[in-house]
Amino acid sequence: MRIGIGVHHRRLDAVCLRRDGTLTTHSIPRSSEEIDSALDRLLSGIGATHDPVRSIAFDLSEVLRRSDRLPLTVVRIAPRPPIDPGDEPRVGEAPILHVRGGHTTLGEELAPFDSAGFREASARIPAGSRVVITSAGALVNPGHELAAGEILLEHPGALSVSFSHAFSSNSFATRERTALLNSALLPDAEALSTALALVAGRHHPDARLSVTRNDGGRVPLSRLADAPVHSAFSGSPIEFIGAAALCGLDDGDLVLATGDGLRLGTLRFGAAVVIPQLRWGGARLATQTAHLVPASEILLSGRSPVPRVVRAGGTALPGWLDASELLETDLDLRALGAACAPLTDWAVDIVGAGSAAEMAHELQAAEARVRTRLAAFGALPSTVRILESRFTATTYEHARVVSVRVHGVAGEPAGALLAEGRASRAAER
């Protein structure tokens, strides 16, 4: 049995997907109660010896909180600071340390890393601070970011250090913005992942625990404490996956109608079509996310076949929407989507390749890394599918520098399992 749990501000909703394709639901209110206490009450009523729980997946996007209580310092490594300080993007009131260094897009040093200057400046960082380090060219060569991190290890006060090269974008500002948000989410993510793992382990010690991602998939819960930004916006994508599983859709367009409006998305081979960056507050974040857009009459006009429509909670539909393929549900689609979401992994790298043979080698190596990680997540190798494997040119960069993008998913197709359950029940009737 799989369990998907949607963690909301006021309640916890669970959907149990059994091996025969049947669903059961559970819901408990949660006012001021801690999430782990609520989860303990919820799981105490779930499970049976004849159908053991194999996996528990959480959607935590609604309750992941940013923490601004720790002081923040931003470190920017580049050949020189801005000529006009007024042109420099600020990060609230956080101090910015400029350090000489950085690399080109080929990984060659633009300027030597000023280790002595940084060691002197970093001594003034308050103990217990969050530090975000961003260096020019770090996605190709993170050497200067790592060197700055090693110096911070000498700091007498414990520091939380985040590196921009952990996030895939050739934009300095996008990497830094993503690292900043991720750093703010880390304290809550670490506390949540530990508390949920302890509670779930007491009730179902053999179940694999996972958390949903912005791309409509899931990863082991332990990874939440490393990169919570990739799970912070998973609510809508996971609702979309739940709606698709409910109507048995593996390929095609789907319109989801909820209290947040109409959203149009596309599935390919049982997974949501994704885009490489997320718009957040008018800026970009380096996180793969399901491509969901507001559905309009113009956008849907002439689409063939007509998109499936899933309406949740009796949401009103506009008159222009073709609802001939309508399915209505009162299920918590986040909980259902968490139960149905496939395991997911990405390899997104900037590499140098000067020939077709070198490009093929880089692509094969990236696919092998994705397959290996999915197997390490607990997936059967036979269920791994590579949905995307390609090179893209890097804008305005050197001709030898290309981006490798590989996306893999794994797991049983939950939509097919639900369809089999419906067919079996229909035959019994």
Side-chain angles (χ1 to χ4, degrees):
M1 179 170 65
R2 307 180 195 176
I3 300 177
I5 299 177
V7 181
H8 303 276
H9 290 301
R10 298 294 181 185
R11 69 184 195 281
L12 267 66
D13 290 322
V15 170
C16 301
L17 175 58
R18 304 185 185 281
R19 286 177 294 180
D20 61 0
T22 59
L23 295 175
T24 57
T25 62
H26 305 263
S27 182
I28 62 169
R30 183 184 76 88
S31 52
S32 58
E33 185 181 18
E34 293 295 328
I35 292 173
D36 54 347
S37 300
L39 178 65
D40 187 56
R41 289 197 295 119
L42 178 70
L43 292 180
S44 63
I46 299 177
T49 55
H50 66 278
D51 192 6
V53 176
R54 292 182 296 148
S55 71
I56 303 175
F58 299 93
D59 182 87
L60 302 170
S61 57
E62 193 170 313
V63 295
L64 268 176
R65 298 187 303 269
R66 284 182 286 164
S67 173
D68 298 318
R69 67 180 184 274
L70 298 178
L72 170 67
T73 298
V74 177
V75 177
R76 291 175 177 165
I77 304 173
R80 62 166 179 79
I83 295 175
D84 184 354
D87 293 338
E88 181 175 38
R90 303 295 303 178
V91 184
E93 299 299 321
I96 299 173
L97 299 184
H98 290 285
V99 185
R100 183 174 173 80
H103 292 85
T104 69
T105 55
L106 293 176
E108 299 167 349
E109 211 172 52
L110 282 167
F113 177 64
D114 183 9
S115 58
F118 180 63
R119 182 174 281 105
E120 179 182 350
S122 66
R124 299 190 293 272
I125 298 176
S129 293
R130 293 184 294 124
V131 183
V132 173
I133 305 173
T134 311
S135 174
L139 202 60
V140 179
N141 188 337
H144 289 176
E145 286 192 5
L146 295 174
E150 289 179 4
I151 290 173
L152 292 176
L153 289 176
E154 304 170 7
H155 199 280
L159 300 175
S160 171
V161 181
S162 299
F163 300 102
S164 81
H165 68 263
F167 304 100
S168 299
S169 172
N170 58 357
S171 164
F172 186 104
T174 300
R175 291 201 316 276
E176 180 184 83
R177 188 181 304 113
T178 309
L180 283 164
L181 177 58
N182 192 73
S183 175
L185 291 168
L186 280 174
D188 197 44
E190 291 168 353
L192 270 175
S193 60
T194 300
L196 296 180
L198 289 173
V199 174
R202 286 200 302 270
H203 289 276
H204 303 290
D206 296 327
R208 291 186 178 272
L209 308 181
S210 55
V211 65
T212 58
R213 300 270 275 196
N214 305 336
D215 61 5
R218 58 187 174 90
V219 294
L221 180 62
S222 58
R223 299 194 72 182
L224 178 69
D226 294 326
V229 69
H230 294 315
S231 295
F233 305 94
S234 64
S236 291
I238 290 301
E239 287 177 348
F240 180 76
I241 292 297
L246 199 60
C247 58
L249 181 66
D250 284 332
D251 285 272
D253 295 334
L254 185 146
V255 175
L256 176 59
T258 66
D260 295 329
L262 299 180
R263 285 164 288 169
L264 171 67
T266 302
L267 281 100
R268 290 288 180 265
F269 306 106
V273 171
V274 301
I275 50 177
Q277 293 185 338
L278 170 73
R279 282 281 185 180
W280 178 65
R284 295 182 184 275
L285 294 176
T287 177
Q288 315 286 338
T289 186
H291 186 39
L292 303 178
V293 297
S296 65
E297 184 175 9
I298 293 176
L299 187 61
L300 297 179
S301 177
R303 284 185 178 252
S304 181
V306 175
R308 301 280 187 90
V309 179
V310 174
R311 177 166 64 176
T315 305
L317 299 178
W320 50 261
L321 181 64
D322 184 344
S324 57
E325 296 286 338
L326 175 65
L327 186 149
E328 300 191 61
T329 183
D330 290 319
L331 289 172
D332 183 86
L333 291 177
R334 289 193 188 183
L336 178 59
C340 298
L343 288 167
T344 185
D345 191 62
W346 290 85
V348 183
D349 302 301
I350 304 295
V351 300
S355 67
E358 289 179 358
M359 293 176 72
H361 173 75
E362 293 288 353
L363 211 55
Q364 289 170 3
E367 288 187 14
R369 290 196 300 275
V370 168
R371 291 181 183 277
T372 300
R373 282 196 293 262
L374 287 171
F377 293 171
L380 293 174
S382 60
T383 68
V384 174
R385 293 165 288 153
I386 300 297
L387 301 184
E388 180 180 352
S389 180
R390 62 190 176 95
F391 283 104
T392 57
T394 51
T395 310
Y396 304 122
E397 304 290 0
H398 195 281
R400 283 179 52 92
V401 180
V402 292
S403 174
V404 177
R405 282 177 54 84
V406 175
H407 180 203
V409 298
E412 304 170 21
L417 185 63
L418 287 172
E420 289 173 8
R422 285 193 296 270
S424 172
R425 291 190 297 275
E428 291 174 0
R429 289 195 295 269

